[in-house]
Structure formats: C-alpha cells, structure tokens
Amino acid sequence: MLKLKFDPKLDFQVDAISSVVDIFRGQTKKPLDYTFQIISNSLNLSKEKILENLQEIQKRNGIELSKLEDLTEPYNFTIEMETGTGKTYVYLRTILELNQKYGFTKFIIVVPSVAIKEGVLKTLDITKEHFKQLYDNLPYTYFSYKSDNLVMVKMFGQDTHLQIMVITRDAFNKDINIIHNLHDKMGDKPIEIIQKTNPILILDEPQKMGGEATQWGIEQLNPLFILRYSATHKDIYNLVYKLTPYDAYNLGLVKKIEVLSITEEGEPSSKKIILEKIESTSTGLKAKVKVFVKTKEGIKLKTITVKHNDNLASKTENPYYDGFIISEINKGAGYILFSNGIKIYEGKSSVEEDEIIRMMVRDTIKEHFEKKKQLNPKGIKVLSLFFLNRVDDYLLEDGIVRKMFEEEFNKLIQNSYKEFSNLDVKKVHSGYFSKMKKEKSIEEDESAYDLIMKDKEKLLSLEEPVEFIFSHSALREGWDNPNVFNICTLAYSTSEIRKRQEIGRGLRLAVGQNGNRIQDRDINLLTVVTNESYREYLEKLQTEYREEVGEEAPPVEEKKQRVKIKRRDDVIQGDLFKNLWSRVSPKAKFIVNIDSDKFIEQVLKEIQKIEVREPEVSIKKVRVETIKPEDIKEEFIKEASEKTKITRLFNLISYIEKETNLTKRTIFNILTQSNNLALLFLNPQEYAEKVIQVIKECKKSFEVESIEYIDLEERFDVALLREEVTSYDKYVFKVQKSIYDGIIKESDIEKEFAKALDSDSRIKLFVKLPDWYVIETPAGNYTPDWAIVVESVKEGHSEEKIYFVVETKGTNNIYELTPDEQIKIRSATKRFEVIKDLKFIAPIKDFANLENKL
C-alpha cells in the first residue's frame, strides 16, 4: 500500500520549528511534579527572558519586534504558513521538539471542525513511524477527545509520557458541555483535570475560533501558552515565523496555478442576469446580481445589489432591462422573480448556460486525460475536483452534472483518448457530501468520507479507480489531497466562497507511488476551470490576497496563453552539445576532511566569547478574594523574578552530539579544553545551546574550506531533457543557439543574458540547466544557471572551444549573497575545478561581465 513519506530536512519547516522552540531557550527540564497525581507543564522563564528570545527570533526572520506589553499571560505566539506547505507536520514536530528540549508533556490541539480534526488525526497516524525514527522511539500518546470516553482525559492528566489531545472547539465552548460537568469515577470534572496540567495549546486555524464562547472555552483550559497556526490569521499575536504565499511559490513549495476561463458573456441585448446570492439584512432581503451596467468605459458586466421593487433598467442605466422589476425575493427557495415572469435561482443565469457547464466539464476531463497520459507512467495519480452549487446536480442519478460528466467522459474516450477505454465511468467518480443533503452532515456518507478524508493514501494509489471528486462549493480547510491537479468551479463564486479557499484544495505538491513528494515544477501545475473571465478571476484573487495577507498573489497564469517549447534533436545529437554534456554530466559526491585540531582550536576561540546568565524563576503572589464552586476571584499582589540555583544537570555530551553530529570524543576534547566550563553549572541549558551554536557555525565554515568532490560512475541522463517543455507566452524568449527553440526566463536578468548569448558570434551553444541538474553542497542542492560553449578566435581564426558554467545573480560580489548562497557557489567552484577544460563563473551581473572572462 502507498505510504506518504516525509523529509525531515526541509529548510523552511526546520526554520518554523526552531523559531518556536527557541522562544523558550533557557527553560530547564524539571523533575516530574505531581499535584494530586496530575503531571503538569511549567514555565520557569521570566517574561523579560522570553521577550529577549522572541525578539532575537523576530530579527532573524525579518519580523516586526514585539514589546513587553505584547506578552500577556497566557502567552500567544503566531506562526503563519501558506496553505499546502505542511503546517500540521510542522506543529506536530514542534510538539516533539518542545518535549525533548524542555520536558513539556501536555499538549492540546484545538480545531474548528470535524473535517480538520480528522485531517490532524490522519497526519498523526501517517507520521508515527517517521517521528519514531527521528526521535529514537520517543513514547507519546495521541487521541481524539470524546465525551463518551473520559478515561482518556484522566490518562492525559496522569501519564508521565508525552500526551497529545485533539479536540474541536464545540466540545468545550459551552458550560453545558460534558467536559464541564461531574461524572462518576472521574473524581474531578474533565475540565478540572485539564486545567491542572497547564496544557500547551495549538490552535489550528484560529481565525475560525474568534467567537466569545470559544475564547471563554480556551481560557477555561488554563493553557501555559498558546501557539496559533494558519495561512490567514485575522489577529496577529507575537508573530515568530512567516511563510508568505509569494515565498511558498518562489521556493517551489506549492503548485503553480493557471486559469482556464470558459465564458459566454454575451451582449447587453441578451438581458443576461446572474443571481449570485440572496442576503437577509436588517432592512429586508437583498440580492446580489451580475448584470450589464452602463459605465464611463461603456457597458460592463458588474455585480450590483438590488431589493424588492427595484427597476433593473434604472439601476443599470441599461434600457435593455426594461420590464425587469423585482416582484419577489425568496431566500428560502433561493430565487428572485421579476414582474415579467422571469425567475432566476441562486447560482443560475437568466440565459440558459447548460452548454457552458458542459464545456467546463468537458475541458476539465480533457485536462485530466492529458495530465494522466503524462503522469501515470511516472507513477503519479491525477485527481480532479468539481465544485457544485446544488448537491442534487450530482447526487441524484439523473442530476444534470452527473449526466453531463458521464456523457462527456464516454465521448472523449471513444473519440480522442482510446488508451483509457478500460476505465469504467461509473467507478471513476465519487461525491463528497452527505446523502442526507445537509451541508453540516458531510461525514454521514461514510464510504465517500472514509475514502476522501481518512484513506488519502488509498485515493493516491493508481489501483484506486476514483479520479474525479464532486463536492459542494462549501468544501473548506481539512480536506486536501496533494494530487488534485484540476479544479472546476461550476458554481458562480459568491462572497462566502473564497477563491483562496477553492485553490487551497489543490496547492500541495504531488506525491508519487513511492510516497515521495514530486519537486518538478513542470509537473506541479494546478489548472482552475472557471466560468469567469481570466481578468475577473485574477482581480478577485488579488483582492483576497491583499485583504488576507496584505500582499500580491503569486503569479496566476492564463491557460490559453500556454505555449510549448520544442527540443532541437539535431542540436542534441551534434558534437557541440555532446562535448559540453560529456563535461558537465558526471554526478559527484562531496567529502569533507576537516582538520580536527584546527577545528577544535577555532571552536575553543569562539566558546571563550559566550556569556551565560543565571536562570530566573518567575514568582507570582496571588490573594484569593472569594471561593465558591463556580466563582473564584483572585487579586495579583506581587509579580517578580528571582535568580535560582540549578541542582539538576543532564548529559551534556549526548545532548551536543545529537544536535551537531560530532563524535563524543571530539565533544569531550572541546569541553575539557574550554576554560569557561564553570558556566555549565551556572546555567546548563543556556551553556549547552550556545556551545552548539558555535560548533554549527564553525563546522559549516570548515566544511566549505575543506570540501572535495569525487566523480561518480553515474551521469545526468540526457534522456531527461523532455521533447517539449510547457510554459506561458510572457515567460518564453525565443532563441537560436540552444537545445530548445526558446528559454523560460525567471527574471529580466536571465532574458537579457540569453539575448546577449544568442546574438554574440563567439557563443556557439548555451543551455539553461534544468532543475534536476543538482550539485550537492553542505548548504543543500544547487543548480547553476547556464552551460555555455564559446569559440576562441585569434587573428581571425577559430582556435578552440571553451566551456563555461555560469550563475547570473544581478551582482558580481559574492558577499552580497546570503550565507547559504555563498556556501553553494564556493562548493560548486570546488566541484568544477576537477573538470578538465571547464570554467565556473559565479556570480556575474550581466553578459558584459562574462565578456571580460572570454
């Protein structure tokens, strides 16, 4: 059976985890503290120390600094991660790190819905083996809170091992909830047991939990501190890490998005009216309709709000709507009625648009088949998702969309895609909503719910026949599948259904049959089929990004502008390319021979500079004013912090070994030669962390200085250069001297560089190196930009071919690059030094700077 795999070394995830863990740097593990047999979390850092740590993290992450007044108990910290980048994985691993480093054992994950809860539990299931390997079989228990199994709450309070409870907000946000009441054999109320543990709360999608009742419930849980994770926070409390949509796109962490627009806007004379939504307001019922409105730029299709007795001709200044006076707005039945007898239902148009819907269904199936042809042989399952406005359009056997889908599916197989004739149309699609037709009872259709929500790996398997999923337009967070490549929005989007919400269902990077994420950016493409114009869709999406994250949307392409770049086989078979490829294609591995004595000497020099302060314990004195079963009033009369002696030491060498991968002998040599070991007894935790930081920085520096590359027998296979590459017209620059008839430019710098290469007579061939051409370095994989063949000319005669690998960066100064970029370029310099007749130049700003080296 297919099993999802996880990469523990993804930089952005490691950064998100360490950003939270480092807030509590200086926190010491304490012996287990029993209070009436309940084991609780405790925090022994002062507010000032937490602020110092927090500001240090915010500086390194380029985030606005918090102030002391921003830290009110219980402390709240915000982590912002774009949809599809592994937010759940990150906070689960953060829990394990907090347990390992500081001994915290009680965690509660609070979610706003059953669907998100199931998603979290599923992630806990599929990461269990991964985390056990990563954390040396660390024992931990996770469970879903259920009011009919309260023994789990008792275990949560009393167990000495790490405990993770997953609970929905509706289980604790009312005092009538079972969690707030006494029960036989429990002794205490469940909430009282939880309160005594001082749990650390993880809020998943906190913007959906802002109501007064939920805020009261969260307070009742008595959290030690709160970690808030979402892509779209409404309120920011002490932001510690931010991965924006643009960051995610630029780093290739989510799919690219393209829009296929299928519209028949018609002329104003068509009297087209689309009823988007009926709203109930304090002044009565109103309807949002899309109609042809007279503007300064001419007549445009726009959304306006109308009420009972409104004359559409007057509202739009469009005489074609004469006779259209609203005589009835019916929210219950979902329609508006005009005085001329025209009735329009929500999500429908006054003009018959069944043919548009049919075309959208047909084009989605075609896109699906095209991707299926390309990706199935690579072991990648293709899924397509349809959003509907009316459940009955699919759920009923004669539902209009179900019939259209099956008819168009069979036609396409018979006429254009005969290679898929073995597919049974009845088995390839499934619905994700309740047979009870209630939006809130999605979970009641167990077979569809289990496949789509619980058995994600099964749905990803090529052996599972379901490839097309139909759902109500309200499908939201909690349901994601990495292999959704096409989304068809058959419903007219309303203000309730956000476009970010729709595309969020398909942003995750695809997964192959081996369970690994696919990194190829050409494969990771989400096609959105919509009944809006491309421009209109894009404008709405941009507005949402500005409202929700305060920035522009990542690039969203128009499918109709998609173009293909053809491979030039005659060039690939020619001597110019063969000679170039023979030089650059060998794969290599690096080895590092660090001079142990010099390394230790440098580490010791840096260790002498570290400073450690005595730990402080926060002290609070509280006077209890009144004590009643349901009413306890407290008054704070003292708050301070005092220095404390540390009596408990831990295995320092093992701790440093785990964090740095140095041998115990090397660590022992470093520690015994350091002349400030006394600091260890002042504050063991802080001393250890600062020593680890010094070792890591020195190690990275020494690795680059001593790196050597060894060629392997294996080569980068020229067959991986696809016959054609797909991009969009605005990114493609046509060229003559390359292996394709165009290059895909990632910046204007690349376009100008390619233009200069193509027009210079000395340049005989240039290749933009593909993403799969990677050089391993201590800072991660690295792909240079260009491989170039130059003909040397002397006294009018060509003499020899010179081979270059080049990195264009917009600067000639390596010190203007990030530390990791510097390490990658320095390592690549060492790699190419061992290749005969090849020069590596990096970084360079433009072609003029290359000319100086020709």
Side-chain angles (χ1 to χ4, degrees), residues 609-652:
K609 300 175 187 176
I610 69 176
E611 295 178 359
V612 170
R613 296 184 306 185
E614 286 183 76
E616 294 181 338
V617 171
S618 181
I619 298 171
K620 292 183 180 67
K621 188 175 181 182
V622 180
R623 177 184 295 132
V624 178
E625 296 288 347
T626 60
I627 303 178
K628 294 178 184 176
E630 302 299 330
D631 184 19
I632 299 177
K633 289 186 178 176
E634 302 171 343
E635 180 189 354
F636 280 85
I637 58 174
K638 177 183 176 184
E639 187 169 4
S641 59
E642 292 182 5
K643 292 180 169 45
T644 182
K645 296 290 183 187
I646 297 294
T647 56
R648 179 179 171 271
L649 294 177
F650 54 92
N651 190 327
L652 182 66

Side-chain angles (χ1 to χ4, degrees), residues 182-200:
L182 282 169
H183 299 275
D184 294 339
K185 300 180 182 178
M186 283 291 287
D188 294 321
K189 297 176 184 177
I191 193 70
E192 290 173 343
I193 294 174
I194 291 170
Q195 288 170 346
K196 289 174 185 174
T197 68
N198 291 117
I200 294 165

Side-chain angles (χ1 to χ4, degrees), residues 253-513:
L253 309 178
V254 291
K255 290 193 184 90
K256 294 184 289 185
I257 307 165
E258 68 172 10
V259 173
L260 172 56
S261 172
I262 300 176
T263 59
E264 183 63 54
E265 298 291 11
E267 293 297 318
S269 59
S270 71
K271 302 176 185 176
K272 179 175 182 174
I273 306 164
I274 298 167
L275 174 56
E276 291 188 338
K277 186 184 180 188
I278 296 173
E279 295 175 326
S280 180
T281 70
S282 57
T283 58
L285 291 175
K286 293 185 179 177
K288 290 197 176 209
V289 293
K290 188 177 280 188
V291 287
F292 287 102
V293 178
K294 187 177 181 182
T295 69
K296 290 178 182 177
E297 294 83 30
I299 292 181
K300 303 281 186 185
L301 194 64
K302 292 182 65 178
T303 298
I304 64 170
T305 301
V306 294
K307 61 184 185 301
H308 185 249
N309 283 332
D310 271 354
N311 185 327
L312 213 52
S314 303
K315 291 278 290 186
T316 61
E317 295 185 37
N318 183 348
Y320 285 116
Y321 289 124
D322 279 342
F324 281 83
I325 298 169
I326 296 178
S327 61
E328 181 185 354
I329 300 179
N330 192 320
K331 184 169 173 60
Y335 68 78
I336 58 174
L337 180 67
F338 291 94
S339 55
N340 57 11
I342 301 290
K343 182 188 284 188
I344 310 171
Y345 285 89
E346 278 184 297
K348 295 293 184 182
S349 167
S350 59
V351 178
E352 182 55 57
E353 293 193 329
D354 283 356
E355 190 52 36
I356 296 290
I357 294 172
R358 185 175 289 277
M359 288 172 67
M360 291 173 72
V361 170
R362 182 189 311 142
D363 273 53
T364 304
I365 299 169
K366 282 170 72 173
E367 275 298 308
H368 183 98
F369 283 157
E370 288 296 327
K371 288 176 180 171
K372 185 177 172 70
K373 278 201 301 187
Q374 177 199 352
L375 300 182
N376 276 188
K378 299 178 187 290
I380 302 168
K381 172 87 170 277
V382 177
L383 298 173
S384 293
L385 176 60
F386 291 85
F387 284 119
L388 305 162
N389 226 5
R390 294 179 68 248
V391 171
D392 283 352
D393 286 349
Y394 173 82
L395 199 59
L396 301 178
E397 277 300 317
D398 61 347
I400 185 170
V401 173
R402 179 188 285 260
K403 284 175 67 178
M404 280 181 183
F405 173 82
E406 293 187 352
E407 288 166 6
E408 294 304 320
F409 184 94
N410 286 329
K411 277 184 200 171
L412 282 166
I413 280 181
Q414 289 165 14
N415 299 326
S416 308
Y417 297 94
K418 293 181 179 174
E419 62 266 47
F420 300 131
S421 57
N422 60 318
L423 297 179
D424 182 345
V425 68
K426 298 289 185 186
K427 293 181 180 177
V428 297
H429 62 88
S430 183
Y432 177 66
F433 26 61
S434 168
K435 287 174 182 169
M436 303 296 291
K437 304 177 196 171
K438 294 176 190 169
E439 191 179 314
K440 290 184 179 176
S441 303
I442 285 173
E443 297 85 354
E444 290 177 27
D445 186 351
E446 288 190 13
S447 60
Y449 184 77
D450 286 351
L451 173 64
I452 295 167
M453 275 299 298
K454 293 186 175 181
D455 297 334
K456 288 187 181 180
E457 295 100 325
K458 184 179 177 186
L459 191 56
L460 285 166
S461 169
L462 288 169
E463 295 175 7
E464 167 56 47
V466 173
E467 298 180 9
F468 298 89
I469 299 157
F470 289 81
S471 180
H472 191 276
S473 53
L475 183 64
R476 305 189 180 202
E477 294 86 353
W479 188 86
D480 296 277
N481 194 292
N483 286 27
V484 170
F485 285 93
N486 306 295
I487 292 176
C488 180
T489 58
L490 294 172
Y492 284 109
S493 288
T494 70
S495 58
E496 281 184 353
I497 305 153
R498 310 289 282 177
K499 299 200 179 307
R500 280 201 74 197
Q501 194 174 297
E502 291 175 343
I503 64 174
R505 303 314 105 219
L507 282 180
R508 294 181 185 278
L509 296 184
V511 170
Q513 294 302 289

Side-chain angles (χ1 to χ4, degrees), residues 26-218:
Q27 165 80 7
T28 54
K29 283 187 180 182
K30 284 193 168 183
L32 292 174
D33 181 20
Y34 286 83
T35 307
F36 302 111
Q37 296 187 330
I38 299 294
I39 297 165
S40 62
N41 294 322
S42 64
L43 190 59
N44 54 30
L45 293 181
S46 67
K47 184 186 290 188
E48 289 73 18
K49 177 60 178 171
I50 289 175
L51 180 67
E52 181 188 317
N53 289 341
L54 177 60
Q55 289 181 335
E56 189 179 311
I57 295 155
Q58 289 170 327
K59 283 175 190 172
R60 88 181 179 219
N61 289 340
I63 291 168
E64 185 179 345
L65 302 188
S66 294
K67 303 180 184 68
L68 192 62
E69 56 265 31
D70 296 326
L71 284 174
T72 56
E73 295 189 33
Y75 304 130
N76 278 260
F77 304 101
T78 299
I79 301 89
E80 189 171 308
M81 295 185 70
E82 174 62 343
T83 302
T85 57
K87 173 194 66 179
T88 309
Y89 173 89
V90 164
Y91 70 62
L92 292 180
R93 192 164 152 197
T94 300
I95 288 172
L96 299 178
E97 286 285 337
L98 288 169
N99 171 262
Q100 288 276 276
K101 286 210 166 179
Y102 310 124
F104 298 131
T105 57
K106 307 301 160 108
F107 293 83
I108 298 179
I109 300 168
V110 183
V111 297
S113 68
V114 172
I116 294 178
K117 182 184 78 171
E118 290 296 343
V120 173
L121 292 168
K122 184 63 185 175
T123 305
L124 278 160
D125 286 342
I126 62 181
T127 54
K128 195 169 184 178
E129 289 305 313
H130 168 75
F131 286 149
K132 282 194 177 293
Q133 290 176 16
L134 205 56
Y135 293 96
D136 296 328
N137 286 313
L138 170 70
Y140 65 94
T141 301
Y142 60 88
F143 64 97
S144 170
Y145 168 83
K146 293 179 182 175
S147 58
D148 59 356
N149 189 14
L150 295 175
V151 69
M152 296 300 290
V153 176
K154 203 160 190 175
M155 184 187 78
F156 178 82
Q158 295 177 348
D159 201 296
T160 57
H161 293 135
L162 172 58
Q163 294 284 311
I164 303 169
M165 179 194 301
V166 186
I167 189 170
T168 59
R169 64 179 176 186
D170 292 334
F172 63 80
N173 63 3
K174 301 181 193 72
D175 55 13
I176 58 170
N177 291 132
I178 288 172
I179 199 170
H180 294 287
N181 294 291
L182 282 169
H183 299 275
D184 294 339
K185 300 180 182 178
M186 283 291 287
D188 294 321
K189 297 176 184 177
I191 193 70
E192 290 173 343
I193 294 174
I194 291 170
Q195 288 170 346
K196 289 174 185 174
T197 68
N198 291 117
I200 294 165
L201 297 194
I202 312 286
L203 302 191
D204 192 330
E205 307 294 347
Q207 75 278 8
K208 297 179 182 296
M209 297 184 269
E212 283 185 25
T214 302
Q215 291 305 302
W216 171 83
I218 287 170

